[in-house]
Amino acid sequence: MAEDENIKREIRVTRGALEQAAAEIAGVWKAAEIGQDVEATDRLYFEDWNALCAVLTPKRYELLRHLRSAPAAGIRALSRELGRDVKRVHEDVVALEELGLIERDQSGRLSMPIDEISSTIRFAA
């Protein structure tokens, strides 16, 4: 990946999020099967605001911002840097890692490679 490449992630909050994501995947699959070029997308879908807020809490947002500016040697180091309990930081890292917002290398070093997260919140059906 080029060093000057801006890594972005899009978050969408919309009813029918699962169906929308599945339809998007099916469309991309079909296009790829017939040899069409497919533009890569990087999206997370949430069914509603509460689901988004349950995952991207203020503490997790703080953790992401910290890792973006200063990757950490591991969870213990990160918890010390943030002044937080190791168990809670571990839970947050696991949740954010599952979403692809945090990366962990083979040595356990944690980083947040994303430069920008944009969100779309759909109110109308």
Side-chain angles (χ1 to χ4, degrees), residues 14-62:
T14 183
R15 283 200 172 108
L18 182 59
E19 293 83 4
Q20 188 174 353
E24 189 174 298
I25 291 168
V28 168
W29 187 288
K30 287 177 185 174
E33 279 185 328
I34 61 172
Q36 290 180 340
D37 287 337
V38 179
E39 184 178 337
T41 60
D42 199 353
R43 293 189 186 111
L44 294 173
Y45 287 91
F46 291 91
E47 188 69 27
D48 57 34
W49 182 255
N50 290 334
L52 172 63
C53 291
V55 173
L56 291 178
T57 65
K59 292 286 187 186
R60 289 178 180 173
Y61 174 77
E62 175 189 4

